């Protein structure tokens, strides 16, 4: 083994979108920066999550939208071209090659070391390369852990021999299973059930809870469940898998009520766990496998010296790529400010804090229908003790919905803090609502007074006219 020693201002462990953005921001501020990655640059999002999953879903959603348009509906009545959809997925995932990402990293002058990076002490990282070499890195100012998450698999007897799908297999499979069982009712579960049912699988969803998308407004999960059932998905609520086995080429599943189910594949979409089991946390007084708790500038709490940062999903603040990249932009900037001895603006909504993680996290669920939300749900608002008024409106009554397609179904909800006279949460469910979420995010993050928001005139006839209808309903 060859061992080398190198020193940088900033070391980033993990080269997904979050780590890449931390490194780019630190380097743009003039700090020498290296990023360490053991898999593909671009990480989970580019190769096993966001990009491949949305590539699978785009034809499904587009066909569903077209089927509601007079004159187009006969043209899209047939099955999807599975080979073409999977080929599109492969292209959008860059065929699981990261040369473009490497070129980008070179263009912003960030060094790359391929290998497994582990902390070995304060500001110290050891990298074991694929060739068996060891590289000892020292950071002058900061180490940022951006290793993301992995699938959290429940301890179901037999799962170790069944080889169940996780989100990785669900987004990269090269053939359509005849029967697919999906365990879970969250975002991954509903999106992958939507995609594979449309591609030809007979999907059965086994959901522990009594509804889908339980962290969102109840009507969102209800509309998504209706859409899945109409597509042919069998949804079983209040259901637990007690064991599974692969016999004669099929997965045989035993349920809590004693029932049996057979499938060709089973997807376990039951949550995420941090990728921290083998990054050397024990060498700095932390527990391997734990989420990394941070302050609003992303310094890890419980570590002396303020040199260790955790950015993205690994800190459990908001497990979405776009929110992780937001965190990364802030973390890279605050690392540079501290390195240069510059003032840190850590007031709410300041340049060096991630206030949006608490108040304005946007999300889109790419199902049929779509769900888009930002800020609080009504349940969270009630728990907060704030003075909140809930405003509902039938999205199908908006003129833009009539133009969007026949038999449009949708709902909307706006939460208003009556003391501050601002919007603190919005949820839309219906075809095409994903494109409404940024306007809602601006209203929430900008704390736009309702009196001013009244003057933001939506174009007619668009789905965006829902803003006028919600405000009219509130004003009476």
């Amino acid at each position: 083994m060859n061992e080398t020693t190198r020193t940088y201002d900033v070391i980033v462990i993990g080269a997904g979108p979050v780590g890449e953005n931390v490194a780019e921001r630190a380097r743009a501020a003039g700090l020498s920066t290296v990023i360490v990655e053991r898999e593909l640059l671009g990480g989970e999002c580019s190769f096993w999550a966001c990009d491949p999953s949305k590539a699978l879903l785009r034809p499904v959603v587009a066909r569903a939208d077209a089927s509601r348009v007079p004159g187009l509906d006969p043209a899209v009545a047939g099955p999807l071209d599975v080979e073409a959809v999977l080929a599109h997925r492969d292209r959008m995932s860059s065929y699981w090659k990261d040369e473009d990402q490497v070129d980008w990293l070179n263009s912003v002058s960030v060094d790359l070391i391929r290998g497994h990076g582990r902390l070995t002490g304060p500001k110290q990282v050891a990298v074991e390369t694929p060739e068996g070499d060891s590289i000892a890195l020292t950071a002058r100012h900061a180490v940022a852990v951006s290793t993301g998450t992995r699938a959290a698999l429940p301890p179901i007897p037999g799962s170790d021999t069944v080889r169940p799908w996780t989100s990785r297999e669900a987004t990269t499979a090269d053939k359509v299973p005849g029967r697919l069982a999906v365990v879970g009712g969250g975002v991954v579960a509903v999106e992958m059930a939507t995609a594979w049912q449309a591609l030809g699988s007979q999907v059965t969803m086994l959901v522990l809870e009594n509804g889908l998308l339980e962290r969102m407004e109840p009507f969102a999960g209800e509309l998504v469940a209706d859409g899945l059932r109409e597509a042919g998905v069998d949804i079983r609520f209040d259901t637990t898998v007690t064991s599974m086995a692969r016999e004669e080429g099929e997965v045989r599943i035993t349920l809590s009520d004693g029932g049996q189910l057979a499938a060709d594949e089973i997807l376990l979409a039951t949550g995420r766990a941090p990728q921290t089991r083998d990054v050397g946390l024990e060498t700095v007084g932390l527990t391997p496998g734990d989420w990394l708790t941070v302050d609003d500038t992303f310094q890890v709490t419980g570590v002396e010296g303020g040199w260790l940062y955790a950015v993205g999903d690994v800190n459990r603040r908001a497990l979405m790529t776009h929110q992780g990249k937001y965190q990364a932009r802030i973390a890279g900037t605050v690392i540079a400010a501290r390195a240069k001895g510059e003032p840190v603006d850590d007031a709410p909504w300041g340049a060096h804090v991630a206030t949006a993680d608490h108040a304005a996290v946007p999300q889109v669920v790419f199902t049929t229908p779509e769900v888009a939300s930002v800020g609080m749900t009504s349940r969270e608002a009630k728990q907060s003790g704030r003075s909140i008024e809930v405003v509902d409106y039938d999205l199908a009554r908006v003129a833009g919905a009539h133009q969007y397609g026949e038999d449009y179904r949708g709902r909307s909800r706006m939460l208003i803090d009556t003391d501050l006279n601002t919007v603190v949460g919005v949820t839309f469910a219906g075809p095409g609502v994903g494109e409404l979420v940024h306007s809602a995010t601006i209203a929430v993050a900008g704390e736009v007074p309702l009196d001013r928001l009244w003057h933001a005139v939506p174009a007619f006839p668009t789905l965006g006219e829902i803003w006028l209808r919600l405000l009219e309903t509130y004003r009476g």
Side-chain angles (χ1 to χ4, degrees):
M1 292 180 62
N2 298 318
E3 183 169 343
T4 61
T5 301
R6 306 179 193 175
T7 300
Y8 290 88
D9 291 327
V10 180
I11 302 168
V12 180
I13 304 176
V18 176
E20 289 176 330
N21 274 269
V22 174
E24 189 275 333
R25 285 292 84 205
R27 186 68 191 93
L31 303 182
S32 61
T33 306
V34 63
I35 196 165
V36 179
E37 176 55 55
R38 64 186 179 87
E39 292 189 303
L40 296 173
L41 270 72
E44 202 77 15
C45 178
S46 297
F47 299 105
W48 301 285
C50 315
D51 285 342
S53 68
K54 276 51 188 182
L56 289 173
L57 286 159
R58 178 58 190 150
V60 179
V61 174
R63 182 178 67 168
D65 286 347
S67 69
R68 300 184 185 93
V69 180
L72 276 178
D73 45 335
V76 296
L80 291 171
D81 183 335
V82 174
E83 185 176 343
V85 173
L86 296 183
H88 170 63
R89 185 270 318 272
D90 294 351
R91 287 193 300 273
M92 294 301 293
S93 304
S94 300
Y95 303 99
W96 292 275
K97 297 178 182 179
D98 62 3
E99 287 90 344
D100 289 346
Q101 301 278 1
V102 174
D103 290 343
W104 175 83
L105 207 62
N106 289 333
S107 74
V108 296
S109 301
V110 172
D111 286 356
L112 166 67
I113 299 177
R114 292 190 184 271
H116 192 132
R118 299 178 180 88
L119 295 164
T120 56
K123 299 183 182 179
Q124 305 293 318
V125 174
V127 183
E128 180 182 347
T129 72
E131 296 76 26
D133 296 332
S134 178
I135 301 174
L137 303 175
T138 299
R140 296 186 185 93
H141 299 292
V143 176
V145 177
S146 298
T147 48
T149 59
R150 56 180 175 81
L153 302 182
I156 301 173
S159 59
D160 55 337
T161 60
V162 165
R163 302 181 306 281
W165 280 10
T166 67
S167 54
R168 284 197 168 195
E169 289 77 22
T171 57
T172 60
D174 58 5
K175 64 179 181 179
V176 179
R179 299 161 298 173
L180 175 64
V182 177
V183 181
V187 175
V188 172
V190 297
E191 288 191 344
M192 290 299 93
T194 298
W196 288 107
Q197 179 74 27
L199 289 169
S201 288
Q202 174 53 59
V203 175
T204 301
M205 296 188 70
L206 307 172
V207 186
L208 177 63
E209 298 83 8
N210 60 7
L212 301 178
L213 302 174
E214 289 284 274
R215 295 184 180 181
M216 307 184 85
E217 296 286 6
F219 67 78
E222 292 165 6
L223 284 170
V224 170
D226 289 345
L228 286 166
R229 287 193 177 106
E230 289 171 8
V233 175
D234 178 8
I235 306 176
R236 305 184 189 184
F237 292 121
D238 301 309
T239 300
T240 303
V241 176
T242 58
S243 67
M244 63 179 77
R246 191 177 288 273
E247 300 175 6
E248 298 178 359
E250 68 178 15
V251 181
R252 298 181 181 176
I253 304 161
T254 303
L255 306 178
S256 52
D257 62 2
Q260 301 282 327
L261 178 69
D264 298 293
E265 299 291 350
I266 182 169
L267 164 61
L268 301 182
T270 50
R272 307 293 294 177
Q275 287 274 31
T276 61
R277 290 183 297 185
D278 191 18
V279 293
L281 295 185
E282 67 280 1
T283 67
V284 295
L286 300 175
T287 303
D290 278 1
W291 299 96
L292 295 177
T293 303
V294 297
D295 63 19
D296 277 357
T297 69
F298 302 105
Q299 284 183 331
V300 177
T301 60
V303 176
E304 293 184 1
W307 58 273
L308 184 61
Y309 292 74
V311 193
D313 286 4
V314 75
N315 62 37
R316 207 182 191 178
R317 288 166 64 102
L319 276 67
M320 283 164 278
T321 296
H322 50 269
Q323 208 69 20
K325 292 166 73 173
Y326 159 74
Q327 294 179 8
R329 294 190 293 271
I330 290 170
T333 303
V334 75
I335 287 170
R338 286 179 172 140
K340 297 177 180 181
E342 297 172 352
V344 172
D345 179 6
D346 59 1
W349 301 109
H352 298 128
V353 293
T355 309
D357 282 354
H358 308 299
V361 176
Q363 182 175 12
V364 178
V365 184
F366 294 86
T367 43
T368 53
E370 291 178 342
V371 179
S373 67
V374 64
M376 289 183 169
T377 63
S378 52
R379 179 177 60 251
E380 292 166 341
K382 183 177 180 180
Q383 293 170 348
S384 75
R386 298 165 72 168
S387 178
I388 300 291
E389 182 164 340
V390 178
V391 183
D392 288 333
Y393 196 85
D394 182 354
L395 191 55
R397 293 171 58 193
V398 174
H402 300 164
Q403 294 285 356
Y404 199 92
E406 295 181 330
D407 300 320
Y408 188 103
R409 282 178 290 169
R411 288 188 61 185
S412 61
R413 173 167 292 174
M414 180 170 67
L415 307 180
I416 295 172
D417 186 314
T418 56
D419 292 330
L420 299 176
N421 199 38
T422 59
V423 180
V424 294
V426 185
T427 299
F428 303 112
V433 299
E435 298 304 326
L436 293 175
V437 74
H438 194 57
S439 59
T441 304
I442 292 170
V444 174
E447 297 177 337
V448 182
L450 293 184
D451 292 343
R452 178 58 64 86
L453 195 59
W454 179 252
H455 295 281
V457 181
F460 178 89
T462 66
L463 290 176
E465 200 176 13
I466 187 60
W467 281 104
L468 174 59
R469 302 307 173 209
L470 286 166
L471 290 170
E472 286 178 332
T473 302
Y474 175 63
R475 290 162 68 102

